[in-house]
Amino acid sequence: MLAVLAAGVQFSSAQSVDDIINKHFEAMGGKDKIGNIKTLKMICSVEIAQGMKAPITMYFVNNQSMRVEVEVQGMQILSAVDGDSGWSVNPMSGKKDAERMNADEIKESKDQMDLTGALFNYKAKGHAVELLGKEDMEGTEVYKLKIIKKSGDIQYDFIDAETYLLLKETTTHKFKDKETSGDVIFSDYKKVEGIMFAHSMENRESGASQGQALKVESIEINPAIDKNMFKMPAPQPAAPEVK
């Protein structure tokens, strides 16, 4: 009898989780539209000092590739991940040639390459989701979902109980020798081709009251993207010796 009751509780909980997730994707514009996102281009900016903003352009190929271009003081910082390899160029560090990313950096980037998000078809992706109940988030009632990813990382999604939009995401990344945790606060939602996108994403250290906000200026859904842009550039030729 107890086993039957326990099974009933688990079934009810699973139904509640899926109901919240379904309402979330309805609020976002529908699973059909979201599932059709194959590529994405975002133009953003971030404040790096008082009154100084750095423009950022990001390119994504769903679950495959991403490239980030940041302009700082006339110099371009580049990073890209393509499959299981990645590279970066940071002239501000005095290096002009591309350097390979390590495994931890590539792993962290791969989450961002899932354009549909961890909750979309989560079972097929090998994730598990638990509903931890409702709680107050700075005066807004939210559902707290725990996502146990196939990779072993843990993510908590805080979904507005009224609008069903994602307000906060807390992720714990487990690497070989360390564990990192951080929050992303989502706000200023706007529709782009019928899909709701947050146009402000603030990255915070876990527990911090404020962080650094990324402001989205434009989003293109399914633009043509040259896949060569994700390839690691060859070293630049050495300057000729002055005789």
Side-chain angles (χ1 to χ4, degrees):
M1 182 64 179
L2 289 174
V4 173
L5 288 172
V9 169
Q10 290 175 355
F11 178 76
S12 175
S13 175
Q15 289 290 94
S16 298
V17 165
D18 288 338
D19 182 53
I20 292 166
I21 291 172
N22 288 336
K23 288 182 178 179
H24 165 64
F25 283 112
E26 286 175 13
M28 291 291 292
K31 289 193 74 173
D32 288 345
K33 288 182 179 178
I34 294 168
N36 194 44
I37 301 175
K38 308 303 180 187
T39 61
L40 200 70
K41 178 182 177 182
M42 299 176 65
I43 297 177
C44 319
S45 65
V46 64
E47 189 171 0
I48 56 175
Q50 187 76 27
M52 183 184 293
K53 292 183 178 180
I56 302 172
T57 304
M58 296 185 282
Y59 302 87
F60 300 89
V61 177
N62 190 34
N63 285 319
Q64 178 59 41
S65 311
M66 69 177 288
R67 176 183 169 109
V68 180
E69 304 172 354
V70 185
E71 296 284 344
V72 180
Q73 298 177 349
M75 290 183 282
Q76 189 178 57
I77 301 170
L78 301 175
S79 63
V81 175
D82 188 25
D84 293 321
S85 63
W87 55 269
S88 63
V89 180
N90 186 359
M92 297 193 74
S93 66
K95 298 177 181 179
K96 61 180 182 179
D97 291 331
E99 297 182 317
R100 293 200 177 276
M101 290 183 182
N102 60 44
D104 290 347
E105 291 171 327
I106 294 169
K107 179 185 176 185
E108 193 168 359
S109 297
K110 280 191 171 184
D111 278 348
Q112 301 175 56
M113 289 165 13
D114 182 356
L115 299 179
T116 58
L119 290 175
F120 189 91
N121 292 343
Y122 68 90
K123 293 176 184 176
K125 292 176 180 177
H127 308 328
V129 182
E130 301 174 13
L131 172 60
L132 301 184
K134 282 185 177 181
E135 62 180 61
D136 177 82
M137 178 185 153
E138 300 177 5
T140 300
E141 191 175 42
V142 295
Y143 291 106
K144 184 177 182 180
L145 302 182
K146 180 181 181 181
I147 305 167
I148 306 165
K149 295 187 176 181
K150 184 179 180 180
S151 65
D153 288 346
I154 304 295
Q155 179 175 309
Y156 296 92
D157 280 5
F158 299 80
I159 294 176
D160 190 316
E162 183 177 346
T163 66
Y164 287 92
L165 296 175
L166 178 65
L167 300 186
K168 184 171 82 168
E169 185 178 279
T170 299
T171 305
T172 300
H173 293 286
K174 296 180 180 180
F175 302 116
K176 291 180 181 178
D177 56 350
K178 62 179 179 177
E179 185 174 282
T180 62
S181 181
D183 298 337
V184 182
I185 309 299
F186 300 92
S187 60
D188 191 21
Y189 275 90
K190 298 175 185 177
K191 275 190 177 181
V192 179
E193 296 185 27
I195 301 173
M196 296 291 281
F197 285 92
H199 280 60
S200 176
M201 293 170 279
E202 184 179 342
N203 290 283
R204 300 179 183 176
E205 293 183 9
S206 288
S209 59
Q210 60 182 7
Q212 191 174 49
L214 190 75
K215 301 294 185 181
V216 179
E217 296 170 10
S218 68
I219 296 175
E220 290 181 52
I221 299 173
N222 293 332
I225 291 180
D226 182 0
K227 294 187 178 181
N228 288 320
M229 70 165 53
F230 305 110
K231 293 181 179 179
M232 186 171 177
Q236 295 187 29
E241 292 184 12
V242 178
K243 295 182 180 180

